[in-house]
Amino acid sequence: MSLADSRPRPDGPVRGRPRSEAVERAIIEGVMQLLEEGVPLAELSIERVARTAGVGKATIYRRWSGKEELFVDVVRAAEPPDPELPGTSMRDDLVVLLETLRRRGLATRSSVILHNVYAQMKSSPRIWAAYHASVIAPRRALGMEVLRRGVRDGELRPDVDLELVNDMFVGPMLVRSVMRPDAELPEGLAEEIVDTVLAGLRPVSSTAP
């Protein structure tokens, strides 16, 4: 499957502003096409994207302030969607968050292009900063909110550093998916990580579910 094929499409007729949505899809798929052809990020100019997508540069600038913002949307289009948390317990929410990381790791491994895109993005401070602000930071904030609810509901000890605890949950999955590309990412890994970490972080009087 190509990056362009991975972009979600509406199931039925496009409503609202179909022409605008079609143009945006054409622009993002134009970027994906260039990446699939091996065009380096440094050479991915707005002018070249506009030519590939069959639109004017002004059309792109009306939707994105520049290449950084556009590229972040392209990467997000190629990633699995952000999860819907069940909200039944801190543990269940953490499992869903980590399962999403596992699936992103699998997606990156299965797509050489997506892997190269991440590598190129990290070499561009402006694009990495934009991706961090609009994608990574909100995801981390969501995880922190789950942990705060866990403390409030008595699922997590109140004396722990939540920033550190968040890293303790997310770290093992990131190590396996990013730093150890040969490591397995089996089903059930999210549950195993969450339950292993929680074994030492639950209140003393609390019992495991």
Side-chain angles (χ1 to χ4, degrees):
M1 178 183 291
S2 69
L3 284 180
D5 292 335
S6 70
R7 178 160 175 79
R9 289 177 171 80
D11 295 330
V14 177
R15 301 181 182 277
R17 299 175 59 191
R19 182 173 300 179
S20 174
E21 292 181 8
V23 168
E24 290 180 6
R25 185 165 63 245
I27 293 168
I28 289 181
E29 291 182 352
V31 177
M32 292 179 174
Q33 177 183 331
L34 291 171
L35 293 172
E36 288 172 341
E37 293 172 357
V39 178
L41 181 56
E43 299 177 15
L44 204 65
S45 66
I46 291 294
E47 181 176 3
R48 191 167 186 175
V49 172
R51 187 165 60 248
T52 302
V55 301
K57 289 195 296 182
T59 301
I60 296 178
Y61 281 119
R62 279 197 296 270
R63 292 162 173 80
W64 294 277
S65 61
K67 183 172 74 172
E68 292 80 12
E69 185 182 6
L70 168 59
F71 195 75
V72 168
D73 275 359
V74 170
V75 175
R76 295 196 70 170
E79 291 185 342
D82 290 333
E84 185 82 21
L85 299 184
T88 51
S89 69
M90 179 189 69
R91 177 195 178 274
D92 292 346
D93 287 351
L94 289 172
V95 167
V96 170
L97 290 175
L98 263 63
E99 174 62 15
T100 302
L101 286 179
R102 187 184 74 88
R103 292 180 180 274
R104 283 194 174 91
L106 291 173
T108 303
R109 290 182 183 184
S110 64
S111 171
V112 175
I113 296 172
L114 188 55
H115 179 79
N116 290 338
V117 163
Y118 280 122
Q120 291 187 62
M121 184 168 59
K122 290 180 181 179
S123 69
S124 173
R126 290 181 62 184
I127 293 180
W128 179 249
Y131 180 77
H132 187 279
S134 64
V135 180
I136 296 179
R139 289 173 184 164
R140 184 173 182 84
L142 181 59
M144 292 294 294
E145 177 58 29
V146 169
L147 294 177
R148 282 191 287 268
R149 291 203 310 267
V151 172
R152 182 196 65 197
D153 296 340
E155 298 178 81
L156 190 65
R157 283 167 37 197
D159 62 331
V160 294
D161 181 337
L162 293 186
E163 290 281 353
L164 176 60
V165 170
N166 191 55
D167 291 342
M168 291 170 67
F169 281 113
V170 175
M173 192 68 79
L174 289 180
V175 166
R176 286 208 174 193
S177 60
V178 178
M179 299 179 66
R180 293 181 55 202
D182 59 328
E184 294 184 357
L185 291 170
E187 291 188 17
L189 180 59
E191 289 91 340
E192 184 177 358
I193 292 173
V194 170
D195 289 338
T196 299
V197 176
L198 277 182
L201 292 175
R202 286 194 180 93
V204 176
S205 60
S206 177
T207 57

